[in-house]
Structure formats: C-alpha cells, structure tokens
Amino acid sequence: MRAAVVNGFGGPERVEIVRVPVPRPGAGQVLVRVRAAGINPVDGAVRAGVFGGEGQRIGFGWDLAGEVDELGADVTGWAVGDRVVGLHYGPVKPLGTHAEYAVLDASALAAAPAGVDDVTAAGLPLSGLTAARAVDQLGLAPGSTVLVTGAAGMVGGLAVQLAARAGLVVTALAGAEDEAFVRGLGAAGFVPRGSAPAGPVDGVLDAAVLGEPALGFVRDGGVYVGLRPHAAPAAERGIRVVEQEVAADGAHLARLASLVDAGALTLRVAETYPLAEAAGAHAHLTKSGTRGRIVLTLP
C-alpha cells in the first residue's frame, strides 16, 4: 500500500510517498480502508522533528474516515464494510492514517456521521475530541462566561459550538473578518484579535495558544484550559490551569458524530489533496488563515 512518511526532518519537501506492506490487525484491533484523512498542525510538527524520532521512518496522520476491512481477534460490534471514523493517537509512529490502510484499536472507532461524506467526516476525530475534552475540562456551570481564542479555527470553532451547547456564554476571539462566522457558531460576544475582552471571564479555552496574555483575561479563581501540552502558563491568582491532551475515545467520538448528524455541530473542509500530493498539503498547512480542515483523499 501507499503511505506518506518522512525519513528526515524539514519542510514539506521532505514528505515522501512510499510503498509498505498492509498492516494486520492484532487482538482488539481493526484494519480500516482509509478513504479520507485530515492533516493537522501536529503533522507539520512531526515533519519538522518537534517530537523527535531522528533516523526513523515516521508516518503522518491522526484521524481518518473509511470502512472496516478486517477484524482482529476478540473484536465485536463492527462488521466488514462499516463506515467509521477514528483517532490514531501518537506523534511518532511508523505509519499513521495518511495511508491506504490503518490499524486502530476497536475502542478508538465510532460509526461515521451518516449525513456527511468521508472527506467532511475526516475532520471530526482529532479536532472534535480536542474541543470536547477542553470544554469538559473547563468544568463551568451553565451561564458561566468563557472566552475561546482562535475561535475561527477548526478546534476553536468546534469549541465555540460545544461550549454554547453546554449553556456557557461564549465570547469568541478571532480576526475581525470572522465576527459574523463565529457568531453564527453560537458566540454571544466577539473580541477582535489583538484586543482584550471588556472584563474578566470565568474561563478561557485557549485554542490559539496565546498563553500568558489569555490567562490575564481570566477572573481570580477562574480556569484556563490550554490545548498544547507543556505550553500552559504558570497558575496565578487562584486560577486553575489545565493542560489538555487529546485521547482516543470511540464512545465520545460517537456522541460527537451524533451531533453532526443532528445538525448541531458543523464541520468545515478547507481543501482536499490526493495522497500522492501529500507534500502539497503540508505546504498548504504552513499558510495562515486556513479555515477548516485540509483533507487527504484516497480513492
């Protein structure tokens, strides 16, 4: 099968398409025929060597949409041909989801949203689980105020929708040109990028990874949730600081998929590239202002 990998760190030009054997599922695992796979900022970090692994062949891709192709031993609840979405956790791995086939733990899979195609569904696992976990970790009661930074991005936009659905009063921080868009997602208030909210908020969900400046927007005793491990600012003024890290969770992913089907969660696709043009997708990833997920397609 074909797979996108990197054998030496650097820019998008280091991405290679190689032929490797189709992996086989072990006990509790499922082989998925990948139809679409999101490319995320973490893939660019892998390519640049942020997570290490020098001298290894490293595969790309955390999320996918496709069909069950083979079941490992002891797997129940799935059948060959089922449409699924899933999260393949881990930055340094020989193969990821940017390949014609991928092996995932059965517990990492959920039925794909029935109302959207594979390209659209491929943007749900990593961004959706990241946003949902961050909203949960805010731990705020309905009616509390929360500021979502980077609210027009993929994770930020999903966080705005999920936080509003949880009954939080959401203020979105984004570029001025995105005000109408983020209000349409459910934001009650808006702050242009580079500005500060009118007053302190109960919590900040820092999708833009602003760090200390975003912490300054939180009231004494509030909460700050960061989305990049080991990058959160130091706690102060009694603020609870949480460093969010995503995890594969098929049950939670299934709940998100049901929200997509109910029209309560909007997914966005910025651009598609065939797997053979994965290097071009990585180049696109370096551009600012992308709205929605870049997706690799596999016929």
Side-chain angles (χ1 to χ4, degrees), residues 72-98:
D74 303 322
V75 173
T76 59
W78 296 111
V80 172
D82 286 348
R83 286 187 67 231
V84 293
V85 289
L87 180 71
H88 191 337
Y89 177 86
V92 181
K93 51 201 176 193
L95 292 172
T97 63
H98 296 177

Side-chain angles (χ1 to χ4, degrees), residues 216-270:
F217 302 149
V218 182
R219 66 166 172 81
D220 294 358
V223 58
Y224 167 98
V225 177
L227 301 190
R228 182 179 296 170
H230 315 301
E236 60 180 49
R237 298 184 286 113
I239 296 170
R240 178 170 57 90
V241 173
V242 180
E243 290 187 331
Q244 201 282 142
E245 185 166 3
V246 74
D249 186 338
H252 202 164
L253 186 55
R255 293 192 290 272
L256 294 173
S258 70
L259 291 178
V260 174
D261 275 334
L265 200 58
T266 300
L267 302 173
R268 294 170 288 155
V269 177

Side-chain angles (χ1 to χ4, degrees), residues 13 17 19 24 41 60-61 67 90 114 121 157 164 204 218 264 273 275 295:
E13 73 282 353
I17 304 298
R19 289 199 171 272
R24 299 265 69 87
F60 297 108
E67 299 111 30
V204 164
V218 182
Y273 291 82
L275 178 64
V295 179

Side-chain angles (χ1 to χ4, degrees), residues 24-239:
R24 299 265 69 87
Q29 296 183 318
V30 174
L31 177 68
V32 178
R33 175 67 169 95
V34 182
R35 297 300 182 184
I39 177 170
N40 296 276
V42 67
D43 294 305
V46 169
R47 186 199 68 239
V50 170
F51 300 102
E54 184 69 53
Q56 304 177 42
R57 183 196 73 195
I58 303 173
F60 297 108
W62 289 53
D63 44 17
L64 61 73
E67 299 111 30
V68 172
D69 188 84
E70 183 181 345
L71 303 176
D74 303 322
V75 173
T76 59
W78 296 111
V80 172
D82 286 348
R83 286 187 67 231
V84 293
V85 289
L87 180 71
H88 191 337
Y89 177 86
V92 181
K93 51 201 176 193
L95 292 172
T97 63
H98 296 177
E100 292 178 313
Y101 293 88
V103 169
L104 278 72
D105 290 343
S107 61
L109 297 174
V116 299
D117 61 16
D118 289 332
V119 169
T120 304
L124 177 63
L126 180 55
S127 295
L129 287 169
T130 298
R133 186 175 174 86
V135 170
D136 289 347
Q137 290 179 325
L138 285 169
L140 295 172
S144 301
T145 57
V146 61
L147 177 74
V148 177
T149 71
M154 189 67 174
V155 173
L158 291 171
V160 168
Q161 296 175 73
L162 292 167
R165 182 175 176 81
L168 303 180
V169 180
V170 180
T171 296
L173 190 154
E177 68 279 7
D178 291 313
E179 180 175 0
F181 171 71
V182 296
R183 286 188 182 276
L185 296 178
F190 179 77
V191 177
R193 186 185 300 116
S195 302
V201 293
D202 296 316
V204 164
L205 194 160
D206 193 12
V209 198
L210 299 181
E212 286 189 13
L215 187 73
F217 302 149
V218 182
R219 66 166 172 81
D220 294 358
V223 58
Y224 167 98
V225 177
L227 301 190
R228 182 179 296 170
H230 315 301
E236 60 180 49
R237 298 184 286 113
I239 296 170

